[in-house]
Amino acid sequence: MKLPVVVYPDKRLKLISKPIENFNTDLHTFLDDMYDTMIESNGIGLAAIQVAKAQRILLLCMPDEDGEQSKDVLLEIINPKVSNEEGTIVYQEGCLSVPSFYEDIERYEKLTLDYQDRHGKALRLEAEGLLSVAIQHEIDHLDGKLFIERLPYGRLND
Ligand code: QAP
Ligand code: CO
């Protein structure tokens, strides 16, 4: 079931999300609803707070070369922790909670992600490029931060 998306400047987007402790059927239903919401909104990533639940959950579904999204590559990421950040990358980001606004943002190019799946199993992945950008964008949501707060100031005299 598709859920309503919380949009800027709704202050709920500033909440710090809380860790998941119970990996039960309520969680699984919520993950399925997040997936429907992300796909029906044409998103590649979604954090739980964007559907008004302040829990440390995010979904990522990266498109392939033809821009197709397949559920086979869906990542359900719970209680994420980033380490080994390396390098920088600039990517034009958008956000379902900031509709029709896109800007270049600098992020880490590579990182390691430790997280849990819907059953509470501990997993690790190495990410670079767009996946690394998307992980950082979504974890920012869990910490109450939007990409528009990371816009650089312009140079003076320009
Ligand atoms: C976050 O963003 C992201 O304005 C996910 O009208 C962004 O799915 C990760 C969207 C960039 C990596 C790189 C935005 C859909 C979707 C809009 C999204 C819109 C319709 C944004
Ligand atoms: Co976003």
Side-chain angles (χ1 to χ4, degrees):
M1 188 184 66
K2 184 177 192 244
L3 304 171
V5 175
V6 175
V7 295
Y8 178 83
D10 193 309
K11 287 213 157 47
R12 286 175 291 181
L13 293 168
K14 295 178 72 69
L15 292 172
I16 309 292
S17 293
K18 299 233 169 20
I20 293 289
E21 290 173 358
N22 296 312
F23 296 80
N24 53 25
T25 49
D26 282 358
L27 173 69
H28 298 170
T29 302
F30 179 64
L31 288 165
D32 295 341
D33 290 345
M34 281 185 69
Y35 179 77
D36 293 344
T37 306
M38 178 174 71
I39 296 301
E40 290 180 40
S41 310
N42 300 313
I44 60 167
L46 187 73
I49 194 59
Q50 294 181 273
V51 290
K53 229 188 187 47
Q55 296 184 325
R56 301 191 81 79
I57 302 172
L58 59 96
L59 295 192
L60 294 171
C61 197
M62 310 311 288
D64 65 22
E65 306 89 78
D66 309 321
E68 296 294 316
Q69 274 172 305
S70 159
K71 200 165 183 176
D72 307 346
V73 298
L74 173 66
L75 287 171
E76 294 179 331
I77 295 171
I78 298 168
N79 300 334
K81 193 176 176 314
V82 166
S83 59
N84 302 328
E85 301 95 332
E86 273 182 52
T88 60
I89 179 173
V90 174
Y91 197 91
Q92 189 178 58
E93 297 188 20
C95 181
L96 288 173
S97 295
V98 189
S100 304
F101 182 82
Y102 308 89
E103 235 1 292
D104 280 354
I105 303 291
E106 186 178 301
R107 303 280 190 180
Y108 298 114
E109 150 73 6
K110 291 185 179 187
L111 55 79
T112 301
L113 183 72
D114 286 282
Y115 65 101
Q116 287 169 282
D117 71 6
R118 63 162 62 204
H119 305 293
K121 183 180 180 192
L123 296 170
R124 172 174 291 175
L125 65 78
E126 310 286 331
E128 58 181 64
L130 176 57
L131 180 59
S132 170
V133 170
I135 288 167
Q136 293 167 74
H137 176 112
E138 300 307 336
I139 290 179
D140 269 355
H141 278 298
L142 308 188
D143 295 325
K145 193 146 176 126
L146 294 174
F147 79 102
I148 52 177
E149 298 171 64
R150 294 196 182 276
L151 288 170
Y153 289 87
R155 252 184 57 213
L156 292 177
N157 309 317
D158 237 36

